[in-house]
Structures are given as C-alpha cells and as structure tokens.
C-alpha cells in the first residue's frame, strides 16, 4: 500500500469511526454510565464497520490497519465514552494474543469471526493471588484423561458475561514458576465458566468487569501458540498493545475534560461584575496547563506507537507510556474540577463522569507504581520478572 493509499485508508476509517461516535457512542454515553449498561450497541456498530478486526491481517478477514490508527480510534472513543473504549481495548488486547495462534484452525476461525464483526473477545488474566501482576498467573493447568484441567478464579474481567471468547492464562503443565505460562481461547458458553456479579465501580460503569469462576477441562486446540510460551507473548504482544490502549483511554478522557472545561469557561459569565470566567488570569493559566499536559502525553504516545511500528521499542519506553498517561489524566481531572467548580462536581454532567473515569488507570494492572518500580529495576540493573 502506497503512502497516499494508506492515508486515504486511514481517513476513510476515521470518518466511519466519527460517524459511529456521533450517531451511537456519544448519545449512549450518559445512559451507559447512569444505568451501568454494557455498551452493546456501540460495539455492534464498531464490529459492523470492521473495527473489531482492526489489526487482524487481511488474509484472515481483518483490516490490517497500523497501530497508529488503533491508538487514534481508542482516543476518540474515550473522549465520548470511556466504558466503550475500555471494552474495545481489552478486546484488542485479546486479539493481539490470538494472532500468535493464527496457524491453529480453531483460532483462525475465531479471528475470522472477529473480522466479520461477529465476535467480541476479552482477556481474563488477573487473579487474587497475583493482583495487578496479571502476567504472572498462580493457577496451573494439569494433564488428565479428560483434558487439561483448569480450576481458578479470575477477577476484574472486562466484558464478563458479554464477550463471546475469553483469553485465559495459567501456568503451563510443566511450570516451575509463573513465567512458564499458557494462553487459552475459550468460548464464553463453554462448560465450567461462570460469571459472578455485576460491576459496581465508581467509574467506567459500563465495562461490566466481574469475576469468572473457572472449573473446566480444556482441549489442546484452545492453546494459543506453544505451551509455556505465554510470557513471551505477554512481552511481545499483550504488554505493548495494552499499554497503547490504556494510555489512549486515559488521554482520551483527559482531552474530554479539556474540551468540556474550555466550553464551560467560555460560556460562564458573572453579571455582577460584567466579566466572563475566561477573563481571569488564574483560569487562563489552568486551561493552558491542561492543554500542555494533554499535548505532552499524546505526543509521548505517538512517539511510542511510531517506534512500535518501526520495531524499535525497548521495555522502559513500553512501561513509561502508561505512567505518563495515568499521571496526566489525574492532573487534568484535578485542574478541570478547579476550573469548572460546582458544575464539575454535579452528578450527571459529562465532566463529572470524565473525572470519575479518570481514576481507573491508577488501579488497573500493572499500576503506575508497579511500572515505576519495574522501570527503576531495569535502569539500576536489578533483576526483574519482565
């Protein structure tokens, strides 16, 4: 594909995305948050236009789009509805893992259905025993006469009860430690998988994050890649894809707060002194700071994605990008609250929703504090599990 063709391809997809956001994602956002409703209609429309298969090769029915388009898709979705953006990110993270099994007919069929917009996936990785270190599972599959026995409880599974396929990790049959792990692709209706409860979180209320109780026998066709290859797949696919996605969600939320703050400041007028809120120097400075913070974080993410596409990424830069995005959105949320005052603190306003959503990145694994610890270990040549 020539440069001009690629630009036209990207622009055509972004136009379709903007139409979906205007017609479905943005109008549904307040209701999804208020009712804690899974964004099914939004995901269906994204699938209809091929966005569920955005990075899947064309020969498997996908769009084979660049990572830069994935990043931009997530940012734009998050500006309208962060719950939809997170569901999409966890789906795409699962897709990045599934691509390691594309030579397997069972996995190829899943990828084909994703490309057709007929399959939503998600990752089911976190366990109470490993917490935010989701890439180090505690559970282990055991070889039996009935197949590979897996008994575990996964926590904080986005799209639990809504996804068609779960990508599940565990230690390999021969594993001596959590780094010797597997990934499995398991249909949601498969025997022995049960969803426990509904999501009652402060923010991202539509993502339906819930526990999965798993007590089942898997067959080897469900294995993604080679046995024991899970940690390699995590490093090469899941971690970079997840870092791009979660960073883009947070940057999208930050940009939404910025836009809402600017609009509010321009409209707010004090009749008793015949002055607009935008005339106050302190407000000008805070709006300027929000703008700088958003631009810095987005520029850093753009650079990281470009390096990913050029295969020039190192582990430190992979870890850094989410730290910057999470720190940025928290700073922006605080400034937005100060700028907009009671308007931002009032329930059921867009900016109040954005501020609640901004808190999620701080607790989503691997958390910024864990990432900073890992970065410090790498820089100081201290052994790490990455």
């Amino acid at each position: 594909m020539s440069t001009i063709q690629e630009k036209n391809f990207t622009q055509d997809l972004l136009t379709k995305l903007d139409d979906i956001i205007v017609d479905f994602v943005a109008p549904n956002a307040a209701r999804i948050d208020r009712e804690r409703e899974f964004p099914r209609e939004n995901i269906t429309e994204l699938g209809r236009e091929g966005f569920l298969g955005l990075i899947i090769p064309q020969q498997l029915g996908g769009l084979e789009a660049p990572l830069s388009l994935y990043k931009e898709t997530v940012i734009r979705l998050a500006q309208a509805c962060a719950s939809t953006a997170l569901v999409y990110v966890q789906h795409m993270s699962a897709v990045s893992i599934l691509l390691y099994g594309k030579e397997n007919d069972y996995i190829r069929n899943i990828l084909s259905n994703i490309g057709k917009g007929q399959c939503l996936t998600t990752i089911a990785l976190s366990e109470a025993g490993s917490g935010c270190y989701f890439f180090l599972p505690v559970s282990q599959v055991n070889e039996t006469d009935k197949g590979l026995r897996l008994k575990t409880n996964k926590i904080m599974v986005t799209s639990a009860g809504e996804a068609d396929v779960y990508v599940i990790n565990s230690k390999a049959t021969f594993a001596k430690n959590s780094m010797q792990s597997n990934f499995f692709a398991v249909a949601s209706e498969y025997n022995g998988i049960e969803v426990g409860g509904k999501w009652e979180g402060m923010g991202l209320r539509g993502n339906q994050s819930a526990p999965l109780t798993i007590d089942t026998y898997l067959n080897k066709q469900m294995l993604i890649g080679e046995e024991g290859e899970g940690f390699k797949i995590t490093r090469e696919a899941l971690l970079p894809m997840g870092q791009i996605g979660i960073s883009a969600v947070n940057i999208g939320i930050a940009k939404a707060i910025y836009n809402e703050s600017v609009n509010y400041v321009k409209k707010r007028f004090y009749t008793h002194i015949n002055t607009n809120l935008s005339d106050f120097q302190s407000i000008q400075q805070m709006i300027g700071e929000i703008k700088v913070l958003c631009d810095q974080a987005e520029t850093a993410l753009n650079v990281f994605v470009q390096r990913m596409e050029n295969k020039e990424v190192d582990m430190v830069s992979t870890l850094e990008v989410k730290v910057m995005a999470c720190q940025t959105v928290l700073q922006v949320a605080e400034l937005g609250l100060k700028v907009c005052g009671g308007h931002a603190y009032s329930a059921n306003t867009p900016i109040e929703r954005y501020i609640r959503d901004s808190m999620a990145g701080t607790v989503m694994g691997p958390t910024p504090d864990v990432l900073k610890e890992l970065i410090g270990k790498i820089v100081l040549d201290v052994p790490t599990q990455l």
Side-chain angles (χ1 to χ4, degrees):
M1 188 183 294
S2 69
T3 303
I4 293 176
Q5 287 175 319
E6 186 172 326
K7 285 183 179 179
N8 290 338
F9 169 73
T10 298
Q11 191 53 56
D12 286 346
L13 282 176
L14 288 176
T15 298
K16 290 178 180 178
L17 175 65
D18 287 341
D19 288 342
I20 293 170
I21 290 171
V22 169
D23 294 340
F24 299 97
V25 180
N28 290 340
R31 187 189 72 252
I32 286 169
D33 179 71
R34 184 177 60 253
E35 305 296 333
R36 300 182 184 274
E37 175 187 320
F38 187 77
R40 175 57 62 186
E41 185 177 33
N42 300 346
I43 296 301
T44 298
E45 293 303 319
L46 288 168
R48 196 188 313 278
E49 294 296 343
F51 283 92
L52 296 186
L54 191 68
I55 64 167
I56 295 174
Q58 292 182 7
Q59 65 187 40
L60 295 176
L63 295 176
E64 202 170 334
L67 288 174
S68 55
L69 184 53
Y70 166 58
K71 176 267 305 177
E72 186 62 27
T73 297
V74 177
I75 288 177
R76 294 191 187 194
L77 287 173
Q79 285 182 262
C81 176
S83 290
T84 300
L86 180 62
V87 168
Y88 183 69
V89 165
Q90 301 301 66
H91 163 80
M92 295 295 284
S93 295
V95 169
S96 73
I97 298 169
L98 287 165
L99 287 171
Y100 270 78
K102 64 181 182 290
E103 305 306 323
N104 173 331
D105 288 342
Y106 170 76
I107 304 297
R108 285 177 72 89
N109 184 59
I110 294 173
L111 290 168
S112 175
N113 286 333
I114 292 170
K116 296 173 185 175
Q118 299 172 355
C119 180
L120 175 68
T121 63
T122 194
I123 50 175
L125 311 180
S126 297
E127 299 174 356
S130 52
C132 68
Y133 295 87
F134 60 78
F135 46 88
L136 297 173
V138 176
S139 60
Q140 185 166 11
V141 287
N142 296 298
E143 193 96 46
T144 73
D145 293 339
K146 295 181 181 180
L148 296 170
R149 174 80 185 281
L150 178 61
K151 184 174 183 179
T152 185
N153 293 311
K154 296 293 184 178
I155 59 174
M156 304 292 285
V157 179
T158 297
S159 305
E162 300 288 348
D164 301 295
V165 172
Y166 299 116
V167 171
I168 301 169
N169 66 343
S170 73
K171 290 193 289 188
T173 54
F174 57 79
K176 302 299 182 186
N177 59 61
S178 294
M179 295 176 72
Q180 297 172 314
S181 61
N182 292 333
F183 284 110
F184 296 94
V186 186
S188 58
E189 71 271 15
Y190 196 73
N191 288 336
I193 298 181
E194 295 183 6
V195 179
K198 278 185 66 70
W199 175 238
E200 298 290 345
M202 178 174 70
L204 299 174
R205 290 177 171 177
N207 86 90
Q208 185 43 28
S209 181
L212 286 186
T213 300
I214 302 170
D215 187 358
T216 191
Y217 293 91
L218 307 175
N219 60 62
K220 291 191 176 180
Q221 72 172 356
M222 298 174 179
L223 180 66
I224 303 170
E226 301 296 326
E227 185 166 18
E229 195 179 29
F231 194 74
K232 174 179 180 287
I233 297 173
T234 295
R235 282 179 61 103
E236 295 179 0
L238 173 61
L239 188 58
M241 197 70 175
Q243 295 290 89
I244 292 172
I246 298 301
S247 298
V249 169
N250 283 286
I251 290 168
I253 295 169
K255 292 179 75 171
I257 294 172
Y258 165 74
N259 290 330
E260 186 73 12
S261 299
V262 169
N263 290 336
Y264 176 77
V265 167
K266 285 181 176 180
K267 293 176 182 177
R268 183 72 170 93
F269 189 80
Y270 295 96
T271 55
H272 70 296
I273 54 174
N274 195 35
T275 301
N276 195 284
L277 184 58
S278 62
D279 294 327
F280 289 85
Q281 185 179 28
S282 60
I283 297 296
Q284 295 165 1
Q285 289 172 337
M286 284 190 281
I287 289 292
E289 185 174 358
I290 293 173
K291 173 65 172 168
V292 170
L293 288 167
C294 289
D295 287 351
Q296 283 178 337
E298 188 167 12
T299 299
L301 181 57
N302 289 341
V303 170
F304 174 73
V305 169
Q306 185 173 30
R307 292 182 66 189
M308 274 281 296
E309 291 178 333
N310 294 336
K311 304 187 187 306
E312 298 172 347
V313 173
D314 59 86
M315 185 53 67
V316 169
S317 61
T318 302
L319 303 178
E320 281 177 334
V321 68
K322 181 187 170 185
V323 175
M324 287 186 276
C326 289
Q327 290 177 339
T328 292
V329 76
L330 288 178
Q331 291 173 281
V332 168
E334 182 179 1
L335 288 165
L337 182 61
K338 289 178 180 179
V339 167
C340 297
H343 172 72
Y345 200 68
S346 301
N348 301 319
T349 61
I351 194 166
E352 183 263 350
R353 182 177 79 245
Y354 303 145
I355 290 171
R356 283 189 284 103
D357 290 343
S358 74
M359 307 295 173
T362 303
V363 297
M364 290 180 67
T367 64
D369 286 341
V370 167
L371 293 172
K372 285 185 278 189
E373 177 191 347
L374 292 170
I375 291 167
K377 285 182 176 180
I378 293 169
V379 171
L380 296 171
D381 297 321
V382 175
T384 176
Q385 289 180 302
L386 273 180

